[in-house]
Amino acid sequence: MAAQPLTEKDAIITVENLEFLYGDFKAVDGISFTVKKGEIFSFLGPNGAGKSTAINVLITLLALQKGKASVAGYDVTKDPQKVRESIGIVFQEITLDRDMTVWESLEFHGKLYSMPHADRRKRIEELLTLVQLENKRDVRTKHLSGGMKRRLEIARGLMTRPKVLFLDEPTIGLDPQTRMRMWDYIKDVNKEGTTIFLTTHYMDEADQLSDQISIIDNGKIIISGTSWELKNTLGQDIIYLETSDNDAAIQLIRNLSSVKDITSKTRGFLISVNEDGTKVLPMIMECLHNAEISIDTVNLKKPSMDDVFVYYTGKEIRDEPIGKSAFISLRPGGH
Amino acid sequence: MNYGFVNIYWRDMIRFVRFRTMLFSSLLQPALWLAFFGIAMSSSFDSLMIGVPIPPGAHAVGYLTFMAAGIIAMTTLFTCLFGGMIILFDKNWGLMREILASPMPRDHVIIGIGLSGMTKSFIQAIIIMVFGILIGAGFFVGFSAVQIAIAVLGILVFVAVFALGFLFLSAGIAISMETPEGMQGIMTLLTMPIFFASNALYPLNAFPEFLKVISTYNPMTLLINGIRYFAIGDDFVAMGTHYVYTTNDILLSFGGLVVFALIMYVFACWRFNKAVVT
């Protein structure tokens, strides 16, 4: 029975009512979700939301307490050995021996998974090229930069051609450039057929990378869907305007029924609307035109993942105010 | 058949060879013990023993010869008790997550660490024997080459089982601990009684009764019995004490060590199966 997939063909991870307690503290509170074969699935949530705990149960480092979970068709409780053979993992913290070389780290990993000698050596060469560490082969990992360490860990996670690659906060602490390159690697890996399960607290990471996103907070999944679906559920758009007379314009627009809120900015103002912005914007423009107020700049955008997150959890994930980043992204030409 | 333990062994030996200071200090330390403690004590003890009658058939050996066997055991004990430390470091800062989430059976970590620690102990034991003989320990006196080979092999087999026992103990403790300081504390606590309640540096016969019982079954004493039997012989006098080892005594000592190592292996497996590293 163990060899038979427990789930439907296209689901590679299924989780039902998963609960995990540390003493009295409920870290994971009855979550259920499915990850389809071949997709990139993200758990998006603040630190301490229960993402890592959930991932640790799925990769069999923590024993399942309540609920059901299967990975690659194998039950994590009944068949942990098979689960371990089917997955690759990149841990949240750097998990490298500082005093082993890049090549030794990969060799060690391949042996841990009983890869045949020839396969192992060949795969190491391929992966070193993929993550651009060919010329670091004999360098001890303590001499690598943060980004290189991460790349090495991703390469290590891919040594065994896993069915599912788990990435726990893969770009934490990396500079923006390195992060973008990392995303490219992850996408490449995904294109080759590996399902990716990712946790992150970076909005843009979830947004850019994932086919499916589940927002998780306080151990619960709050909402799931594609990035587009999530943003669309807000049913709101944000319009940025700069006009010849901002104060008068604000007075006029405030009375329109579909306008929810107006925020003044240095050179213009932000309007958030309750209805489809593509329909509201012409109304606003006509209204201003009739009042003989000329429009210098206009920008319409869908709410970002940040907006979605704030909407559903009632709190901001980052320290910096959302308004600031929204404003920056709304600057003319800034999107 | 999974050969995961070979991998663990390979990695631990890489580290052993790579850390030159660790390598040299671990090799130098027993030699220093022998040189300073051995030479100093033997000159005072041997002068006390002059005139003590020697039973017929037995031969008298100097203190240096007597304690060199103890130093082999002591070095093995220290090396092996700390041999599991790498597991604690891996648990806190390194590879243990990767290892525990891999399909490799967990007991292979224990076996791999055991075998690499055993290899280190072999190297140390041989160095002490060579150095001891150089500075005057009466090991293998009057032995033929074949006898020496057998004797060395016998010593190494004893050292192997003893080393594995303490490495398993060390691994089991390491995987259960949170900090290196805590581990250090426990190890220091263990070292003292194991070392001093043994016949490493002095004979047991003057001990109070209860201590004598403990010391007789101390794995350290069992190992030293084996080393003295193979290195010195089955009938000798040292420190005014007449030592006679029968084949049975030696088999019992060896059996005791095997039982000890097996119990420690079970202990380590139990600790590893309980271990949660996230």
Side-chain angles (χ1 to χ4, degrees), chain A residues 60-285:
Chain A
T60 73
L61 274 184
L62 284 176
L64 182 118
Q65 291 176 344
K66 220 171 158 190
K68 264 187 177 173
S70 74
V71 177
Y74 302 107
D75 188 291
V76 295
T77 314
K78 290 187 200 123
D79 239 339
Q81 195 68 15
K82 287 282 179 192
V83 171
R84 289 172 190 162
E85 285 167 17
S86 315
I87 60 173
I89 309 161
V90 176
F91 293 97
Q92 184 168 344
E93 297 95 17
I94 298 288
T95 308
L96 292 170
D97 184 332
R98 292 165 41 81
D99 295 296
M100 283 164 86
T101 66
V102 168
W103 185 86
E104 285 163 356
S105 301
L106 295 175
E107 172 81 356
F108 179 79
H109 189 81
K111 284 179 176 173
L112 270 185
Y113 285 75
S114 309
M115 286 175 73
H117 182 271
D119 281 12
R120 203 167 64 217
R121 297 291 160 92
K122 192 166 151 267
R123 190 68 49 75
I124 290 177
E125 296 313 312
E126 284 171 19
L127 288 169
L128 284 178
T129 312
L130 174 74
V131 300
Q132 298 174 343
L133 287 173
E134 307 99 307
N135 52 0
K136 297 284 177 189
R137 186 185 316 262
D138 296 319
V139 173
R140 294 193 208 174
T141 64
K142 66 177 163 195
H143 298 305
L144 298 180
S145 71
M148 289 176 186
K149 282 182 191 156
R150 259 318 190 203
R151 265 144 57 194
L152 173 58
E153 290 197 314
I154 290 180
R156 187 176 65 183
L158 292 172
M159 276 289 286
T160 52
R161 287 278 155 84
K163 295 197 176 96
V164 189
L165 180 63
F166 287 89
L167 300 162
D168 196 358
E169 302 271 6
T171 64
I172 202 164
L174 297 183
D175 62 78
Q177 260 187 332
T178 316
R179 287 180 64 209
M180 308 259 254
R181 263 219 308 275
M182 212 59 70
W183 293 347
D184 288 339
Y185 291 128
I186 294 171
K187 282 179 190 160
D188 286 348
V189 166
N190 177 248
K191 273 188 204 130
E192 289 188 9
T194 302
T195 307
I196 310 266
F197 185 108
L198 170 98
T199 75
T200 183
H201 69 272
Y202 294 119
M203 304 288 177
D204 52 344
E205 187 159 286
D207 201 356
Q208 296 267 333
L209 271 179
S210 330
D211 297 311
Q212 286 284 325
I213 300 173
S214 281
I215 293 183
I216 178 167
D217 193 25
N218 292 328
K220 287 191 169 111
I221 289 180
I222 293 169
I223 187 163
S224 304
T226 64
S227 156
W228 185 83
E229 282 168 352
L230 291 184
K231 289 179 200 159
N232 240 32
T233 54
L234 294 193
Q236 294 170 341
D237 282 327
I238 297 168
I239 297 165
Y240 176 76
L241 284 176
E242 283 177 22
T243 64
S244 55
D245 186 350
N246 286 337
D247 290 341
I250 289 172
Q251 285 309 317
L252 269 174
I253 295 166
R254 179 153 286 157
N255 298 325
L256 293 174
S257 64
S258 47
V259 169
K260 193 181 169 197
D261 195 25
I262 297 179
T263 324
S264 290
K265 298 289 173 190
T266 351
R267 291 166 61 194
F269 52 95
L270 279 173
I271 313 162
S272 58
V273 292
N274 287 324
E275 289 166 30
D276 185 353
T278 53
K279 299 215 163 61
V280 179
L281 185 55
M283 280 166 56
I284 292 175
M285 289 171 79

Side-chain angles (χ1 to χ4, degrees), chain B residues 199 224-225 228-229 233-234 236 243-247 249-250:
Chain B
N199 58 359
I224 292 168
N225 289 344
R228 289 198 180 129
Y229 171 79
D234 56 2
F236 60 92
Y243 286 87
V244 180
Y245 291 121
T246 64
T247 315
D249 291 337
I250 295 309

